[in-house]
Amino acid sequence: LLVVIGIIGLLIAILLPALNQVRVRARDLKCASNLRQLVMASTMFLNEHRTYPDATQLAAFGGPVPLALDERLINIVGPYLKWPVVTPTNTVLTLPAVAVCEARRTVDGLMDYNYALGNPYWNTGYSYCGGLGKAEFPNATVLQPDRQADAKGRRRGVLWADNLMLLYAGPSPTGWAYFHLSGPHVVEPVFATIPDPKSYRGHHRAWSDGSVEFLRRGDFSLNSADADITAAYRITGPTGLRLYQYW
């Protein structure tokens, strides 16, 4: 009996990591599918209005912040995907499923309509990257123009992505925000960021032609000193906050 119990325990120890990998893979596939649908909805809006929707603006930055999805933006893409109208009473988990990253669902916190940075928004785990770098926002810079779809859809570029963000408060980085995790990490309580991105596993980016890639850890530098070289977008707010988004 002890031998049998030992064998069963060994099999469980072998199978559990494999089962976890299957769950992670399933979340990745669902996440990629969500992003394709969001690109499709944005493209349908472009076909009707000759421009992509504007990204959400946050007062703390004085311009567009890709990781913030507000009521306006979600209800712009919603009709193309047959979503019900959303309101501030929605939490992240009661928003339409396609609007929320599958990995985000596994991380508790910041679930309500968030007013922390001036304008209300949800942190769904997705970043909307369309229509950035407009002249009226001189404090916002597209650092990788070859990855950026312009507002009129005349150039292939990234429209949606999983969150990967680096935040500075003054001259010092406060940490990172992402949801595709692997292993433990520590969260900085004031800004809800991760000072050491050792748990970052990777994230998706979805191009305007519908293709979706998964960028793995090591595909680019996570050294905060390299942010102006490796990030795709930077915005500096009047309050001294500086945010980098990666895709």
Side-chain angles (χ1 to χ4, degrees):
L1 180 59
L2 291 175
V3 171
V4 170
I5 292 173
I7 292 173
I8 291 173
L10 179 61
L11 289 174
I12 291 174
I14 293 171
L15 288 174
L16 281 178
L19 290 174
N20 185 59
Q21 289 179 6
V22 170
R23 285 195 294 267
V24 169
R25 179 59 178 160
R27 283 199 296 266
D28 286 350
L29 290 172
K30 183 65 167 63
C31 188
S33 175
N34 288 351
L35 289 168
R36 288 190 186 94
Q37 292 181 67
L38 291 168
V39 167
M40 179 186 71
S42 303
T43 302
M44 293 171 73
F45 182 91
L46 168 69
N47 292 339
E48 286 191 12
H49 300 276
R50 299 185 180 180
T51 184
Y52 288 120
D54 288 332
T56 301
Q57 296 183 42
L58 295 183
F61 293 94
V65 175
L67 66 80
L69 304 188
D70 62 0
E71 180 182 6
R72 172 202 57 86
L73 179 58
I74 291 182
N75 285 328
I76 280 176
V77 298
Y80 301 103
L81 297 171
K82 309 301 181 184
W83 291 346
V85 173
V86 303
T87 70
T89 60
N90 285 93
T91 68
V92 166
L93 295 182
T94 64
L95 290 172
V98 173
V100 182
C101 169
E102 287 299 297
R104 166 71 171 106
R105 295 179 181 277
T106 68
V107 179
D108 194 14
L110 300 176
M111 290 294 184
D112 295 325
Y113 207 37
N114 192 337
Y115 292 82
L117 294 173
N119 305 59
Y121 68 97
W122 290 281
N123 186 341
T124 72
Y126 288 143
S127 294
Y128 172 63
C129 315
L132 301 175
K134 293 183 177 180
E136 59 262 41
F137 302 113
N139 60 327
T141 305
V142 174
L143 299 171
Q144 305 292 340
D146 58 317
R147 301 178 205 163
Q148 180 60 44
D150 70 351
K152 301 297 182 181
R154 293 167 296 197
R155 181 176 63 248
R156 178 181 182 265
V158 176
L159 278 183
W160 289 85
D162 291 321
N163 284 355
L164 179 62
M165 176 272 284
L166 172 64
L167 180 66
Y168 272 75
S172 303
T174 70
W176 302 76
Y178 50 85
F179 293 103
H180 286 270
L181 305 164
S182 177
H185 57 268
V186 175
V187 175
E188 195 282 326
V190 175
F191 294 98
T193 52
I194 301 170
D196 182 356
K198 61 184 179 181
S199 61
Y200 168 75
R201 184 173 65 86
H203 73 291
H204 295 91
R205 64 182 178 190
W207 297 78
S208 53
D209 61 5
S211 59
V212 179
E213 300 171 285
F214 188 75
L215 301 170
R216 300 185 181 278
R217 183 182 184 88
D219 283 350
F220 51 82
S221 171
L222 292 178
N223 185 337
S224 59
D226 297 334
D228 283 303
I229 300 172
T230 55
Y233 177 74
R234 180 191 68 219
I235 184 166
T236 303
T239 60
L241 294 176
R242 184 163 83 253
L243 180 143
Y244 293 90
Q245 295 252 185
Y246 293 71
W247 59 76

